[in-house]
Amino acid sequence: MLHASDQAAGLRRLFRRTPSAVVALFASGRSPGSLAIQTLTALTEGARRVVVIDEHAPEQGSLLAAFGYPDGGDLLATLQGQHDVTETMREVAEGLWVVPAAAAVQAVPLLDDAHHTRLEAGISELQRRADLLAIHTVGDARNLTPFARAAGRRLLVVEASGVGARGACQWIKGLAAAGAGSLE
């Protein structure tokens, strides 16, 4: 069984050797989910293909729930060999696909080598299909998931409000404390 830090390192290597850009998306404001949707939709302009690994469960503001799609499928089912990763992809807007991954995020620290190999193969396939692979992050900056830690870039989207500014400061301080690197 690999440790979470080893898995994050493995994901980092995977994210860096494939052609699509990988970015962890952090949103701050009164409605971070709406802000994330606006940002991701804008990133599809110019015929860009954006695939989002969504770490949020439906009750936490998942993108599928926000777009009115029923809950269903998770990247975890791919890791368990139940189906192909492309079966978890849902096109929610022109050029924007969402892959639910709330359960997979919880399982990553427990993966054995076989499941980790399936995860790498699944992410490679998602990247092959995308110009940009985005990680719609969950939690807080002090407890980044292996997906968010492994992303080569971090994008902080902030609503122009007091709530947004305070939240952004919390994200920046937390990411700095976690050694996450620079933000865009």
Side-chain angles (χ1 to χ4, degrees), residues 65-181:
F67 278 100
Y69 284 79
D71 184 29
D74 191 282
L75 185 58
L76 182 60
T78 299
L79 304 182
Q80 295 170 333
Q82 296 173 358
H83 52 73
D84 184 79
V85 71
T86 58
E87 294 176 55
T88 63
M89 296 174 67
R90 301 288 180 264
E91 188 170 14
V92 296
E94 180 79 26
L96 180 61
W97 289 268
V98 173
V99 176
V105 167
Q106 298 298 315
V108 166
L110 308 172
L111 296 180
D112 61 18
D113 290 339
H115 288 98
H116 194 265
T117 300
R118 284 191 195 123
L119 176 62
E120 287 185 5
I123 289 174
S124 291
E125 180 60 23
L126 294 175
Q127 286 184 289
R128 191 181 71 70
R129 294 171 174 270
D131 296 315
L132 175 70
L133 180 63
I135 313 300
H136 184 219
T137 60
V138 68
D140 63 55
R142 292 176 302 277
N143 297 309
L144 295 177
T145 66
F147 293 114
R149 272 193 311 255
R153 300 168 81 178
R154 284 144 193 86
L155 175 62
L156 177 61
V157 182
V158 182
E159 176 187 67
S161 69
V163 171
R166 283 187 297 279
C169 286
Q170 289 174 344
W171 273 112
I172 291 167
K173 287 177 185 178
L175 289 168

Side-chain angles (χ1 to χ4, degrees), residues 8 31 38 51 63-64 70-71 82 174:
S31 182
Q38 290 172 358
V51 174
L63 296 175
L64 285 182
D71 184 29
Q82 296 173 358

